[in-house]
Amino acid sequence: MKREGVLYVISAPSGAGKTTICKMIKSHEPELRQSISYTTRAMRAGEEEGVDYHFVTRETFDRMVSEGAFAEWAEVHGNCYGTARATLEEARLAGADILLDIDFQGAAQLRISDVDGVFIFVLPPSLNELRKRLEGRNTESHDVIEQRMTNATEEIAHAAQFDYLVVNDVFDKAVEEVRAIMLAESVRTSRLMSDLPKEFSLK
Ligand code: ADP
Ligand code: 5GP
């Protein structure tokens, strides 16, 4: 039985653990596609072009915006990030599940554009713990961490617009919860109806 692919959107304030969770999910679900966003942000140590992001100049990003190449895009912490329409279209045509790690503004754009997605918001257990994780990750300067903490309050305020909330306190539990959401969504009646054997003739 072949069902349509599911589009999963995961958002969280920076430092909540979304990237770590997504990597773990990907290792459990090798078939799951991960959308590689376009960004104008500088590459961090350890990141790779075409693996973590497509790193582009502001000029290239603006051109892609004007050509309508993005299904959604937003400015986050002073840099631009966007999801290519082509990436979503390829997954749809292949019937593949795809995971988008994007901010709440991008998630809101997809929602209003009527994309049939499953929207998950990852919360840190507390703001204190969020700060500890940002500091512990050691990838941003003090000023950038302060900016991300200020933005976190605004981002968390949008959590209620998501379908599911996952509190990333104990890491393994958070991963298990995201996987449980995916399992449940994969057998949602509306996704299976058109692919059931005709002899069932459901009403
Ligand atoms: P995000 O992608 O949301 O910005 P990361 O995945 O980079 O966040 O995680 C931020 C930091 O927090 C990383 O150093 C990561 O190892 C750590 N981390 C992630 N989840 C947990 C957790 N449940 N408990 C403790 N530390 C965590
Ligand atoms: P980072 O710079 O830490 O990799 O990501 C910063 C923020 O940008 C994260 O909240 C991440 O989810 C978001 N982000 C990454 N890619 C996209 C995208 O394509 N669109 C939007 N709207 N946000 C994105």
Side-chain angles (χ1 to χ4, degrees):
M1 206 158 67
K2 180 93 182 80
R3 61 168 175 81
E4 284 178 9
V6 187
L7 185 149
Y8 295 100
V9 174
I10 294 207
S11 299
S14 179
K18 181 168 38 96
T19 308
T20 320
I21 291 174
C22 289
K23 280 194 177 139
M24 186 56 86
I25 298 284
K26 186 81 180 86
S27 73
H28 285 294
E29 319 281 347
E31 299 296 309
L32 177 68
R33 294 191 182 193
Q34 194 135 14
S35 166
I36 314 289
S37 298
Y38 286 76
T39 185
T40 60
R41 129 157 122 56
M43 203 186 285
R44 289 184 192 137
E47 286 185 330
E48 267 182 71
E49 162 59 33
V51 176
D52 299 282
Y53 284 103
H54 297 292
F55 295 93
V56 294
T57 61
R58 184 66 203 239
E59 291 69 42
T60 302
F61 195 95
D62 288 347
R63 181 175 46 74
M64 290 181 75
V65 170
S66 66
E67 289 170 356
F70 293 124
E72 65 73 32
W73 71 272
E75 193 170 322
V76 190
H77 315 308
N79 293 299
C80 293
Y81 297 83
T83 306
R85 282 185 197 285
T87 307
L88 304 190
E89 188 55 12
E90 280 161 25
R92 194 186 66 77
L93 290 174
D97 292 347
I98 185 164
L99 180 63
L100 272 60
D101 165 348
I102 64 177
D103 89 314
F104 76 92
Q105 305 170 83
Q109 288 171 40
L110 290 180
R111 252 203 199 287
I112 57 168
S113 69
D114 257 357
V115 161
D116 178 21
V118 177
F119 294 78
I120 304 168
F121 197 89
V122 177
L123 285 163
S126 68
L127 289 178
N128 254 344
E129 176 63 20
L130 184 69
R131 180 182 289 279
K132 269 195 215 155
R133 288 186 192 171
L134 281 171
E135 288 170 354
R137 189 169 68 185
N138 221 3
T139 49
E140 274 88 20
S141 65
H142 174 74
D143 287 357
V144 172
I145 290 178
E146 287 311 317
Q147 188 194 10
R148 291 188 173 209
M149 282 303 297
T150 306
N151 294 350
T153 311
E154 164 74 5
E155 289 161 20
I156 289 170
H158 291 83
Q161 291 154 14
F162 285 69
D163 300 318
Y164 296 96
L165 296 180
V166 171
V167 178
N168 179 21
D169 188 355
V170 176
F171 180 72
D172 289 351
K173 184 164 180 283
V175 171
E176 200 182 316
E177 287 176 2
V178 174
R179 293 187 73 204
I181 293 165
M182 291 179 158
L183 183 59
E185 288 291 343
S186 74
V187 291
R188 189 176 273 284
T189 307
S190 58
R191 297 190 207 288
L192 294 179
M193 282 298 271
S194 58
D195 296 311
L196 291 174
K198 296 289 168 276
E199 65 200 37
F200 291 171
S201 63
L202 299 180
K203 297 206 163 99

